[in-house]
Amino acid sequence: MQELFWDEAKGGYFMSVQTIAVAADAAVGDASLATFMPAIGQPKDIVDGALPSGNAVALHALARLARRPGERGAFLQVDERANALLAAFANPVNRAPSAFPYILLAAVVLADGQSGPFQYAAHGDVAVYGQVHDRQLSVNITIQPGWHINANQPLTDNLIPTVIRTSEGYTSLVLSEVSYPPPLTKTLGFQSEELALYEGSISITANLNNGSDASAGELLRLSLQLQACDNEICLPPEQLALQVPVSVQFSPDAVTK
């Protein structure tokens, strides 16, 4: 997509690759010797209608890919492409935002990550999956080797703790008895003092109680705060917006804590 459709001059993706074949040596007859030149007047699709525009779909895909695991450093290239695409259409989007709903949605994904029960953090080195079973929430976190996240109670004040809570304004279900795993205590290269951290696979659990109008089939809206580090640096803190399906009917007499 980047090689065939990207407009190097003005940014954004063309909707087609129109080519004019320059004939190869007829005596040789080898089609592989033919070269191709881009034609003039390639259109770009940027306005969202009944279907999202092509550039909006491209931005959404890039925003999601930037958080997926892959070759180390590859996320930077994808992130740069996504930001360049968004910048290419910033002026028309700012002038008439109602014409670009899917581009704006993709911009939110680029800035804050996608919603749902499964998400990535730390550019793919941390995977998070939330599920609800028998009124208990489990947030399972898998951390790639060489990386860690700070514990719920770090030993250093300037490090961001791992915290799960319901999203601001969400009142249908309430978390109680939130349980974080016991942390590992280590000394790493960037700090001489001991650190409390999580590595490998961990699970954060909590009980669910009624808030207001809780019902089966709704989405439990959670905010997961974490900060991922390797042995040398810490990445900026992240806030993941999890939306976990709730498959049980809560009694209206359940106690709210």
Side-chain angles (χ1 to χ4, degrees):
M1 182 176 70
Q2 188 72 16
E3 292 177 358
L4 296 178
F5 297 96
W6 180 252
D7 182 355
E8 294 289 350
K10 298 181 179 179
Y13 292 102
F14 293 117
M15 287 304 297
S16 63
V17 178
Q18 302 176 16
T19 59
I20 301 173
V22 178
D25 187 344
V28 177
D30 187 353
S32 65
L33 297 179
T35 59
F36 295 86
M37 298 175 59
I40 298 174
Q42 293 169 283
K44 294 177 187 173
D45 182 21
I46 64 171
V47 177
D48 296 322
L51 294 175
S53 68
N55 276 281
V57 173
L59 180 59
H60 201 93
L62 291 171
R64 296 175 66 183
L65 282 171
R67 291 177 176 262
R68 294 298 196 271
E71 185 176 335
R72 183 62 57 84
F75 71 89
L76 289 174
Q77 185 181 53
V78 178
D79 191 65
E80 288 174 357
R81 290 176 179 175
N83 280 287
L85 176 57
L86 185 59
F89 302 119
N91 287 335
V93 171
N94 287 331
R95 286 197 301 267
S98 61
F100 306 95
Y102 203 70
I103 285 183
L104 292 174
L105 176 61
V108 172
V109 174
L110 181 62
D112 301 327
Q114 65 190 89
S115 60
F118 182 80
Q119 292 190 40
Y120 288 104
H123 309 300
D125 285 306
V126 176
V128 179
Y129 177 67
Q131 58 183 347
V132 172
H133 180 69
D134 290 338
R135 300 190 183 187
Q136 187 174 63
L137 167 71
S138 297
V139 178
N140 305 303
I141 303 175
T142 302
I143 307 160
Q144 292 300 312
W147 287 88
H148 68 268
I149 60 175
N150 299 320
N152 175 248
Q153 296 182 349
L155 301 180
T156 303
D157 292 339
N158 63 339
L159 295 179
I160 303 299
T162 297
V163 178
I164 186 74
R165 57 174 68 92
T166 53
S167 298
E168 183 177 355
Y170 177 80
T171 60
S172 293
L173 296 170
V174 179
L175 302 184
S176 67
E177 301 179 30
V178 180
S179 177
Y180 295 89
L184 301 172
T185 304
K186 285 188 173 184
T187 302
L188 300 177
F190 62 86
Q191 184 165 313
S192 58
E193 294 85 1
E194 285 191 331
L195 301 172
L197 49 87
Y198 301 135
E199 293 181 339
S201 296
I202 65 167
S203 182
I204 302 169
T205 61
N207 293 330
L208 298 181
N209 298 302
N210 273 37
S212 60
D213 302 326
S215 62
E218 74 168 285
L219 294 175
L220 172 61
R221 301 178 188 278
L222 302 168
S223 174
L224 175 63
Q225 172 186 276
L226 58 82
Q227 183 180 32
C229 309
D230 63 11
N231 292 334
E232 297 180 355
I233 62 168
C234 284
L235 298 178
E238 298 182 61
Q239 291 276 358
L240 303 184
L242 295 171
Q243 296 180 352
V244 183
V246 178
S247 59
V248 295
Q249 181 70 49
F250 286 82
S251 167
D253 298 326
V255 177
T256 300
K257 297 184 179 178

